[in-house]
Amino acid sequence: MDQHSSAPESAEARTGLATTVNEARSGDWWRDAVIYQIYPRSFADGNGDGMGDLEGARARLPYLAELGVDAVWLSPFYASPQADAGYDVADYRAIDPMFGTLHDADALIRDAHALGLRVIVDVVPNHSSDRHEWFRRALAGDPAARERYHFRPGKGPSGDEPPNDWESIFGGPAWTRTEGGERHWYLHLFAPEQPDFNWEHPAVQDEFRSVLRFWLDMGVDGFRIDVAHGLVKAAGLPDMGDTGQLRLLGTATLPFFDQDGVHEIYRSWRRVLDEYPGQRIGVAEAWTPSAERTALYVRDDELHQAFNFHYLNTGWDAAALRAAIDESLGSLGAVGAPATWVLSNHDVVRHRTRLGGGHSRGRAASLLMLALPGSAYVYQGEELGLPEVRELPAEVRQDPAFFRTADPVGAAGQEGLRDGCRVPLPWEESGSSYGFGSGGSWLPQPAGWGALSVTAQTGDPESTLELYRTALRLRRARPELGDGEELEWLPAPEGVLAFRRGGFVCAANTGTGPAALGFPVGELLLASGPFDGGATLPGDTTAWWVRG
Ligand code: NOJ
C-alpha cells in the first residue's frame, strides 16, 4: 500500500488541533517539560502480535496523562526492515505495518493533544536503511543516487581495504564493500544496513526539510534528532590513526562527529520549526567532547534542547553529580537554553540496575532528577522501577550491537547491549505478557514481572509508580521545581548534595549510611524511601521539603 496517498486528510485540521493545545498552555512549554519516552515495540501491543504498536500506545495515553507528564517522545515507527529496531528507516513518511498506519499516527496525535500531551517524534537524518529507495538505486549503479551517500574506492592494489580506518559504533569497520560493479565501499557509522547520508548534497538537505514539514503538518510538536552530531564528516574523510575508537565517543574530537558544519543544518531546521505555530521543538541527541560543545546545538537560532548524557553517565556520587549539574547549568545558561536531565533510555542499562544499590538508589536518583531546574526525560518503565533484564538468551536478542560485539556474553553488566532495557512493559499482574498484549511479547519478560506492573503498583503509596505520580503532581504545582535555570547549593556533609530554589529544598544522600543535615529542614513534601522528615537523612534517599 502506498501510505503517502492514504495520509489522513485535512492537514489544516491537524495543525489547528495542535495549535489549540499550544495556545491553551502558552509560554516556553519545553523549558521545564517532563517528556516520557515511548519505545513503541515494547510499550503496549494493540493487535496481539507480540510487538508493541501505535494502537497500543494510543490506548495507554490516559495512563500517561494521569502520570503527569507533559509530552511523549516516540522512538521510530517508520517503515523499516528493523535492522536496528527502526533506526534504519526505509521511508520517512510511512509507518511500518508492524506499528500500524498513518491513520493510527494521526489518531494518536489527536488523542494526545486532547489529553493535553504534546507529541515528539524521532527523525533519523544521519543514515537511512539500506532498503531506502535512494540507496537501492545507488547500489544499482545510479550515479546521482550514489552521491547522496559516501561511496569510495577501497585502498590497496585491488581495493579490498576500507577507504579509511573509521570504526562502526556497533563494532567492526565503518565501511562495507558492495557486490558487483566497481566494488566500491560505502560508509556506515552504525550497522551495514544503515548507510550514512552525504549531507553536502542539496537533495539530502531538501529531503529532510520536507520530511520535517510532513510531520509538522501531521501536528507533531517536535523532533528528537538521532545522531544529531554525526551528519557532517571532516573534509576528505581523514584516518583516525587509532583503533578502539568507541572509547573516545563523547570525550574527543572525531572526524565523523561534532563537526562545526552541523550547526548550519540546525539553523535551517529551526527556520522550518518556526514556520509553525505553537513552539515546535528540536531535541539533539548529540555526543560531544564537552558541555560547551553540546551547548552550541541549543543556541537561540538552533535547537531547543540537547540530551544531557554527561549527567546520565555520572555515577551515584554527590560530588560528581554536583559538578555535572553545575557544568550543565553553566554551559547551557550561557546560551539561554534550559538544562535537560535523563537517567535511562533505550540505549543504556536501566538506571535502577546501572547505579548499583537497587531499588532505593534508583528511586533516590529519580527524585533528584525531577527536582532539578530544566526539562526531564523519563524512559518507559522507569516509573515502575523496572530493572535491566540480564538473562536474555542469545536467540531472542535483536540488538545489532550484540551480534557485532566480539564477546557479548562477557560484556560487563550488559553495557553496550541494549535488549535488556527494551523488554515489554508489565501492565497487569498476570495474564498473557502481563497485559502488554494478547499475543505474548517479542522479548521474554522475567517471571515475577507482574509484581512490578501498573495495576500492582497503583494505589500502593510505597510503590515507585505512586512516587513518580506524586513527584510529577508536585512539580506541576510548584514553580521552583523544573522551571528556571539556577539553584543555590546548601552546605551538606560529604556524600550529600542539597540545594534550595525559592521556597523549596532538596537533599540527596548518595552514601549508604545516614547523614546529619547541616541546615534547618521544613515541612517534608516527599521522600524516595522511609524517612521521618527530620535532620538525619537515610542513605540512598532523596527528600523534598518546603523551606524551613
Ligand atoms: C541512537 C539511537 O538511540 C540508537 O538506538 C540507534 O541505534 C543509533 N542512534 C543509530 O541510529
Side-chain angles (χ1 to χ4, degrees), residues 442-453:
W442 68 276
L443 280 176
Q445 298 155 302
W449 212 227
L452 294 168
S453 67

Side-chain angles (χ1 to χ4, degrees), residues 37 39 73 75 84-88 122 124 126-127 169-170 190-191 194 224 226-227 285 287 345-347 399-400 418 422:
Q37 182 187 355
Y39 192 64
W73 148 39
S75 284
D84 184 19
Y87 282 97
D88 49 320
D122 232 294
V124 188
N126 179 68
H127 45 263
I169 310 302
F170 291 154
F190 294 87
Q194 294 167 295
R224 176 267 190 191
D226 189 61
V227 199
E285 187 221 12
W287 291 87
N345 65 32
H346 64 292
D347 289 331
D399 179 4
R418 306 173 300 171
R422 299 175 177 181

Side-chain angles (χ1 to χ4, degrees), residues 262-537:
V262 295
H263 295 291
E264 193 46 46
I265 297 168
Y266 300 126
R267 279 191 276 273
S268 99
W269 286 23
R270 179 59 179 262
R271 290 192 288 274
V272 174
L273 293 170
D274 286 349
E275 286 167 17
Y276 288 78
Q279 302 204 27
R280 316 293 174 103
I281 69 165
V283 183
E285 187 221 12
W287 291 87
T288 77
S290 67
E292 286 72 27
R293 292 291 301 181
T294 300
L296 297 179
Y297 290 75
V298 289
R299 287 174 288 188
D300 64 4
D301 60 348
E302 294 195 37
L303 303 172
H304 298 74
Q305 294 184 345
F307 287 107
N308 194 338
F309 295 120
H310 184 34
Y311 186 75
L312 184 149
N313 282 327
T314 304
W316 185 238
D317 172 82
L321 285 165
R322 183 172 161 165
I325 293 166
D326 276 340
E327 190 185 39
S328 304
L329 293 175
S331 56
L332 294 163
V335 296
T340 67
W341 312 102
V342 60
L343 289 168
S344 287
N345 65 32
H346 64 292
D347 289 331
V348 299
V349 173
R350 281 187 177 277
H351 73 266
R352 168 171 166 179
T353 302
R354 191 185 68 240
L355 295 175
H359 190 51
S360 318
R361 190 171 294 175
R363 288 164 57 102
S366 300
L367 216 52
L368 171 62
M369 174 181 81
L370 292 172
L372 294 171
S375 177
Y377 279 80
V378 172
Y379 175 52
Q380 64 176 40
E382 76 172 66
E383 81 281 17
L384 303 175
L386 294 187
E388 185 79 358
V389 180
R390 296 172 181 274
E391 307 79 20
L392 294 169
E395 58 274 19
V396 302
R397 290 188 180 260
Q398 298 201 10
D399 179 4
F402 179 82
F403 300 102
R404 289 172 68 89
T405 299
D407 178 21
V409 178
Q414 306 273 314
E415 201 57 66
L417 308 179
R418 306 173 300 171
D419 289 310
C421 63
R422 299 175 177 181
V423 173
L425 293 197
W427 291 91
E428 291 162 16
E429 284 164 78
S430 57
S432 165
S433 62
Y434 302 107
F436 169 66
S438 59
S441 96
W442 68 276
L443 280 176
Q445 298 155 302
W449 212 227
L452 294 168
S453 67
V454 171
T455 48
Q457 297 197 37
T458 296
D460 173 0
E462 310 287 305
S463 72
T464 300
L465 177 57
E466 294 299 347
L467 179 74
Y468 268 77
R469 284 180 173 151
T470 307
L472 295 181
R473 195 165 55 242
L474 287 168
R475 208 181 137 102
R476 281 207 168 167
R478 302 193 67 92
E480 305 97 321
L481 284 153
D483 201 19
E485 279 150 32
E486 286 171 0
L487 48 73
E488 182 192 339
W489 293 110
L490 295 169
E494 206 186 320
V496 174
L497 69 170
F499 61 87
R500 178 158 68 193
R501 309 194 68 219
F504 170 82
V505 173
C506 172
N509 181 358
T510 65
T512 48
L517 300 172
F519 53 85
V521 294
E523 179 202 339
L524 185 69
L525 284 171
L526 188 61
S528 64
F531 176 44
D532 62 9
T536 303
L537 187 61

